[in-house]
């Protein structure tokens, strides 16, 4: 779900959507013994309801004709998603795994408004080596100014 990076810092401060969903479910268990959030609730909060809160529900938040094509793919062939006993055939299990086991490093591909931004964990539209080099140079300039 794209919002141009305008949202406030998340609860955990780690910028990990999966961690935020997990925290929402766990916090609901602490605060509301009679009705806690489910994994499905957390997914809806992060997608459909997140888009509505941003006032962008007509444009983002779900995969529908006429909406921005913002999609991520997750690599679920990892040990923290095991055991895998027929679970890929069970959508409830997949949703639970996304909320309770996934993390941002499991994201394999990111598509924003139909444009592939990251594929196989490699940024496609930026020169990350150049960005890192520029950041290091800027840090050195700042450090040297501070030293006087």
């Amino acid at each position: 779900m794209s919002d141009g990076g305008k949202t406030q810092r998340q609860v955990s401060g780690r910028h990990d959507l999966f961690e935020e969903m997990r925290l929402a479910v766990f916090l609901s268990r602490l605060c509301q013994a009679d009705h806690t959030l489910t994994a499905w609730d957390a997914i809806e909060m992060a997608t459909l309801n997140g888009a509505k809160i941003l006032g962008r529900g007509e444009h983002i938040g779900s995969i529908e004709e006429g909406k921005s094509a913002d999609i991520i793919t997750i690599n679920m062939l990892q040990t923290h998603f095991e055991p895998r006993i027929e679970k890929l055939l069970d959508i409830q299990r997949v949703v639970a795994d996304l909320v309770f086991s996934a993390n941002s490093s499991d994201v394999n591909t990111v598509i924003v408004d139909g444009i592939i931004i990251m594929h196989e964990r490699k940024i496609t539209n930026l020169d990350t080596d150049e960005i890192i080099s520029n950041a290091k140079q800027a840090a050195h300039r700042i450090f040297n100014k501070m030293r006087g």
Side-chain angles (χ1 to χ4, degrees), residues 10-147:
Q10 299 91 339
V11 174
S12 73
R14 292 181 43 140
H15 302 286
D16 186 325
L17 179 63
F18 303 100
E19 187 170 327
E20 300 301 326
M21 290 189 290
R22 227 176 348 271
L23 280 172
V25 173
F26 293 153
L27 288 173
S28 79
R29 291 176 183 174
L30 288 173
C31 300
Q32 302 174 334
D34 58 333
H35 176 72
T36 61
L37 295 175
T38 66
W40 274 107
D41 294 332
I43 293 282
E44 285 186 355
M45 287 171 64
T47 56
L48 295 168
N49 293 335
K52 289 176 187 174
I53 289 284
L54 294 171
R56 307 240 357 210
E58 293 180 20
H59 307 286
I60 61 175
S62 61
I63 305 301
E64 297 179 50
E65 187 175 338
K67 288 189 174 185
S68 292
D70 296 349
I71 303 167
I72 61 173
T73 64
I74 308 296
N75 177 4
M76 297 183 79
L77 301 175
Q78 300 187 68
T79 57
H80 57 277
F81 291 112
E82 296 297 336
R84 307 195 57 74
I85 305 166
E86 302 296 324
K87 75 166 70 168
L88 286 179
L89 301 176
D90 179 2
I91 191 66
Q92 296 283 0
R93 188 69 233 160
V94 171
V95 168
D97 278 349
L98 287 174
V99 173
F100 297 115
S101 299
N103 58 63
S104 60
S105 64
D106 297 324
V107 176
N108 186 56
T109 300
V110 176
I111 302 169
V112 177
D113 203 14
I115 299 168
I116 298 172
I117 302 298
M118 181 173 76
H119 181 64
E120 295 181 5
R121 301 237 11 104
K122 295 197 176 23
I123 304 296
T124 60
N125 63 341
L126 299 172
D127 183 345
T128 53
D129 291 335
E130 180 182 354
I131 291 168
I132 291 169
S133 175
N134 290 343
K136 286 179 180 178
Q137 290 173 15
H140 284 291
R141 282 193 305 273
I142 292 167
F143 181 73
N144 288 335
K145 278 186 178 181
M146 288 174 41
R147 288 176 49 195

Side-chain angles (χ1 to χ4, degrees), residues 3-10 15 54:
D3 71 351
K6 298 175 187 167
T7 56
Q8 292 182 333
R9 190 170 189 143
Q10 299 91 339
H15 302 286
L54 294 171

